[in-house]
Amino acid sequence: MYPDSIQNLIESFKFLPGIGEKTAERLAFSVLEMEPEQVEVFSSSLVEVTQKVHPCSKCNTLTDQEVCFICSDPSRDPSILCVVEDPKSVFLFEKMGIFHGMYHVLNGLISPMDGVNPEDIGLSSFMNRVQNGNFKEIVFAFKPSIEGETTTLYIKRILEGMDIKVTRLASGVPIGADMEYMDSLTLERALQDRKIIE
Amino acid sequence: MYPDSIQNLIESFKFLPGIGEKTAERLAFSVLEMEPEQVEVFSSSLVEVTQKVHPCSKCNTLTDQEVCFICSDPSRDPSILCVVEDPKSVFLFEKMGIFHGMYHVLNGLISPMDGVNPEDIGLSSFMNRVQNGNFKEIVFAFKPSIEGETTTLYIKRILEGMDIKVTRLASGVPIGADMEYMDSLTLERALQDRKIIE
């Protein structure tokens, strides 16, 4: 019913996560109202992103250089390594500007239920980096979940015997949260990890 | 912070209606997980849609042909003309398969508040078509609004004296609606337009 080119565009939008038929139609029509130059930029940035962006050869985050802007920044603290589950986490931390060490991006988390085993998440390049590096501390920044827990414990075990402090993000009640909406696991962890008021 | 090509893609997604920073980031990262062929199709359909799609020379709906698939369909009833405010309405009606006449797409609705006057909505090509056509009925299918009402009354006046039945979509309580959530204008119109039960 739609002209072919509109239909193709609708189908393309539907490939994006969380975009259904109606939204895809609305987006496709909005493209028709854009400036041609704007559409040109959109179109070329789609192709560019797949051609230029690839994992950083050191830390595995996404970059369009050989080595990412973090690994090539001499002002970062090379003694602390933050291990994350995907490149998105790196950009999230960087946006907040709260961490000044180095990162290492795994290829996801260990999840036997989904068939993701330790050998699937890029641990060999991680261990290589740790063995050749000079890290004093490794902090795990995975999402609080069974998979995050499993991966943390697995890596902690293979790091045993090395003179490296192994830490993880604190779990607990988020700032501003309403106590009555907290789940029991979060409250339990917050209670276990309670801190002395100084 | 993001590599340039990711940042450009995020900016492009943000140009789409209803897509903010967070969603744009999510969509840009999802593009990185697509098959390269899929991204290629997405990219080229964006450019194609702006290059190939244009208003139909007869009815002003969007098409990639000289004349759209409706105007060129000999099985349609040429005696009834449905006037709509944008091409989206045409595709909406066609999808439902409930109308078998011809369409005419205006360039929006008269809205003095927004500076849209009668001469801005393409009425001259509409009148041309009506004068050279052989329409027995013209039905207005605008959204129920002040602008829709104004446009309907304006066109009805300039059609006066021509032997054409002028109608509009029925307004009233939508099927399945809950009475207590109906607004007073809708209920008033539904009461005015009440029908004899036969």
Side-chain angles (χ1 to χ4, degrees):
Chain A
M1 184 191 66
Y2 288 110
D4 284 348
S5 33
I6 298 187
Q7 188 63 47
N8 291 344
L9 186 56
I10 292 173
E11 296 303 323
S12 284
F13 275 122
K14 275 164 63 184
F15 262 86
L16 296 170
I19 296 201
E21 183 82 28
K22 286 258 176 192
T23 310
E25 286 174 354
R26 192 164 52 80
L27 296 179
F29 276 99
S30 76
V31 169
L32 287 162
E33 284 159 24
M34 278 184 188
E35 296 296 319
E37 299 78 43
Q38 180 56 37
V39 178
E40 197 66 58
V41 171
F42 192 172
S43 166
S44 56
S45 61
L46 274 169
V47 173
E48 253 185 34
V49 96
T50 49
Q51 285 171 348
K52 291 198 182 161
V53 175
H54 55 85
C56 166
S57 61
K58 285 182 91 168
C59 76
N60 203 30
T61 195
L62 293 172
T63 181
D64 48 10
Q65 312 291 318
E66 167 62 20
V67 166
C68 75
F69 74 105
I70 300 162
C71 290
S72 55
D73 179 352
S75 74
R76 311 239 3 164
D77 181 353
S79 71
I80 177 164
L81 183 67
C82 177
V83 185
V84 296
E85 64 196 86
D86 58 22
K88 270 183 255 189
S89 303
V90 173
F91 296 112
L92 186 71
F93 273 78
E94 284 305 295
K95 221 184 248 182
M96 297 179 177
I98 48 181
F99 178 73
H100 306 287
M102 313 302 283
Y103 295 95
H104 196 90
V105 179
L106 298 179
N107 300 325
L109 297 173
I110 299 171
S111 172
M113 296 279 282
D114 302 315
V116 184
N117 296 311
E119 60 271 25
D120 301 323
I121 63 169
L123 286 182
S124 58
S125 73
F126 166 72
M127 283 310 290
N128 241 330
R129 189 165 173 210
V130 172
Q131 273 148 0
N132 297 319
N134 200 11
F135 299 111
K136 295 203 182 87
E137 179 175 351
I138 294 181
V139 44
F140 295 108
F142 305 142
K143 65 166 174 264
S145 63
I146 308 264
E147 293 78 19
E149 200 72 0
T150 311
T151 311
T152 301
L153 294 177
Y154 187 92
I155 304 179
K156 188 181 162 31
R157 220 184 49 210
I158 52 179
L159 290 174
E160 249 162 39
M162 298 175 81
D163 185 23
I164 298 174
K165 187 161 96 181
V166 179
T167 57
R168 70 160 158 223
L169 292 190
S171 285
V173 183
I175 311 299
D178 213 330
M179 291 303 280
E180 63 183 313
Y181 294 111
M182 277 304 105
D183 62 295
S184 61
L185 267 176
T186 301
L187 273 187
E188 193 183 338
R189 181 69 74 82
L191 196 59
Q192 270 172 16
D193 293 355
R194 64 192 179 280
K195 300 201 66 174
I196 293 171
I197 303 166
E198 286 165 21
Chain B
M1 184 192 65
Y2 288 110
D4 284 349
S5 33
I6 298 187
Q7 189 63 48
N8 290 344
L9 186 56
I10 293 174
E11 296 303 322
S12 285
F13 274 122
K14 276 164 64 185
F15 263 87
L16 296 170
I19 296 199
E21 183 82 27
K22 286 257 175 194
T23 309
E25 286 175 355
R26 193 165 51 81
L27 295 179
F29 276 99
S30 76
V31 169
L32 287 163
E33 283 159 24
M34 279 185 188
E35 296 296 319
E37 300 77 42
Q38 181 56 36
V39 179
E40 197 65 59
V41 170
F42 192 174
S43 166
S44 55
S45 60
L46 274 170
V47 173
E48 254 186 33
V49 96
T50 48
Q51 286 172 347
K52 291 197 183 162
V53 175
H54 55 84
C56 167
S57 60
K58 286 181 91 168
C59 75
N60 203 30
T61 195
L62 294 171
T63 180
D64 48 10
Q65 311 292 317
E66 166 62 20
V67 167
C68 75
F69 74 105
I70 299 162
C71 290
S72 55
D73 180 352
S75 74
R76 314 242 356 167
D77 181 353
S79 71
I80 178 164
L81 183 67
C82 178
V83 185
V84 296
E85 63 195 87
D86 59 21
K88 270 183 253 187
S89 303
V90 173
F91 296 112
L92 186 71
F93 273 78
E94 284 305 294
K95 221 184 245 182
M96 297 179 176
I98 49 180
F99 178 72
H100 306 288
M102 313 303 282
Y103 295 94
H104 196 89
V105 180
L106 298 179
N107 299 325
L109 297 173
I110 299 172
S111 173
M113 295 279 283
D114 302 314
V116 184
N117 294 312
E119 60 271 25
D120 301 323
I121 62 168
L123 286 183
S124 57
S125 73
F126 166 70
M127 283 310 291
N128 240 331
R129 189 166 173 209
V130 172
Q131 272 149 1
N132 296 318
N134 199 13
F135 299 112
K136 294 204 183 86
E137 180 175 349
I138 293 180
V139 43
F140 295 108
F142 304 143
K143 65 166 173 266
S145 63
I146 308 266
E147 293 78 19
E149 199 74 0
T150 310
T151 311
T152 301
L153 294 178
Y154 187 91
I155 305 180
K156 189 182 161 31
R157 220 182 52 209
I158 53 178
L159 290 174
E160 250 162 38
M162 297 174 81
D163 186 23
I164 297 173
K165 188 161 94 180
V166 179
T167 57
R168 70 159 157 226
L169 292 189
S171 285
V173 183
I175 311 299
D178 213 329
M179 291 303 281
E180 63 183 313
Y181 294 112
M182 276 305 105
D183 62 294
S184 62
L185 267 177
T186 301
L187 273 188
E188 192 184 337
R189 181 68 74 82
L191 196 60
Q192 269 170 16
D193 293 354
R194 64 193 179 278
K195 300 201 64 174
I196 293 168
I197 303 164
E198 285 165 21

